[in-house]
Amino acid sequence: MARTNAQRRATRVLTAVGSITVATLALSACSGGGDSGSTDGEGQTLTLWHYEGDDSAMAKAWNAAVPIFEEQTGATVKIEEKSFEQIQKTASQVLDTDAAPDLMEFNKGNATAGFLASTGLIADISDAVTEYGWDAKLAPSLQTTAKYTADGVMGGDTWYGVPNYGEFVGVYYNLDAFAAAGLEVPTTYDEFVDVLDAFVAKGITPLAEAGAEYPLGQLWYQLALTEADRSWVDDYQLYKNPVDWNGSEVSYASETLKEYVDKGYIASDVSSVKAEDAGVSFINGTSPIFVSGSWWYGRFASEAGFDWTLASFPGSKLSLGSSGNLWVVPERSQNKDLAYQFIDITMSPEIQAIIGNNGGVPVAADTADITDAKSKELIDTFNGVLDDDGLSFYPDWPAPGFYDVLVQELQGLVTGAQDPATTNANLGKKYDEGTADFR
């Protein structure tokens, strides 16, 4: 018997949720009440769930937003701790009851926020976006993860969430190691390759990498992006057209990644290395270059005992990255207008500056408000990517379980167990199977 669209969506999201491995984070929540649609919050309670750790840039900023909100509205905010996993597993049930919060942070993407949107569990907030002008503060590539189709595919026309922070992947350079080797940070891809060759000639493996987890797949995707344009990203991520798995983008990525191993740019045992090990090899100075995300920035700032910098990948206008997770308003929220007011405060320059000065990547900060030099460098790099409309999401996003597929296939590629053509064919087969219900 043929499945309905709703059945297919439910099946794919259960598969996706089952395949996602996440770190346990603190989650805040509480139950409360109030008159729906009220902008006068006196005596009311805004229930808010988020899953950021107390020391994170986002939690610091949002905690600072609470007293501002309470003073402006007369309402109070209560917080009850839960875990990320509790929300992932129970959101679709809780949000369909009177216990639903008024506002919560939720994971962006088709299988998470998109699924809640397609089932009517979170509200269409398009009118609030227009009223408060949040769309004017968000670059087009940041808007993609906030807007969904009726089937829950990101990049639609309807706003179901608002991000107030971002993330991206760039290249970290150990400036002390470069100076010792008489090298300069590359600004073109050819210069990047010259630097890799120069370090190899000195007996140094230049790239910190990890094939047992996400970094190798992100490097593979970044290499594809150097040959790609926005239309290819839309095909890969948003199913606009079929992806050519024998095309120049994918072929270049797989062939070049294999060359990186063969030429000694990446350690020969990369297939067994985990992300933590790669990050530590950059921190301890073993490898002078690391292609990875802005989420490492704060740690490098506190642990790396040398001068370093972060830049976008040379020779490419497209970079891995996206908005952060979203503020979403459950359809059964009892205080939607209060929720919108809280969102607006978190989009204000004051709160955005707190994100920026604590190692986060704000989406609407005034750079003049960023006083920490390293943080300003991070934000300037991110803004440069936004100016190029460069955020291109992540390679595992299109299909449930595709993360594990990428890890396995790229391990086969770098160990020599299979050639680039076989790797591409295997990836294409799993991608097509995993995206069939979306297209």
Side-chain angles (χ1 to χ4, degrees), residues 171-185:
V171 188
Y172 290 94
Y173 298 103
N174 179 333
L175 296 179
D176 287 1
F178 271 69
L183 299 170
E184 295 184 358
V185 171

Side-chain angles (χ1 to χ4, degrees), residues 221-237:
Y221 187 58
Q222 180 61 72
L223 290 169
L225 292 176
T226 65
E227 297 292 307
D229 57 17
R230 176 57 60 184
S231 64
W232 184 85
V233 174
D234 288 346
D235 293 343
Y236 185 95
Q237 298 284 353

Side-chain angles (χ1 to χ4, degrees), residues 96-138:
D96 200 29
T97 72
D98 289 339
D102 297 309
L103 175 65
M104 70 176 187
E105 179 190 14
F106 204 69
N107 230 7
K108 74 272 187 185
N110 296 340
T112 46
F115 176 69
L116 296 186
S118 71
T119 53
L121 292 174
I122 55 177
D124 172 355
I125 63 170
S126 301
D127 289 345
V129 170
T130 300
E131 177 184 351
Y132 285 96
W134 299 325
D135 51 344
K137 295 184 176 183
L138 296 169

Side-chain angles (χ1 to χ4, degrees), residues 168-171 173 186 310-316 319 381 385:
F168 72 104
V169 170
V171 188
Y173 298 103
L310 171 67
S312 56
F313 195 86
S316 179
S319 301
T381 304
V385 174

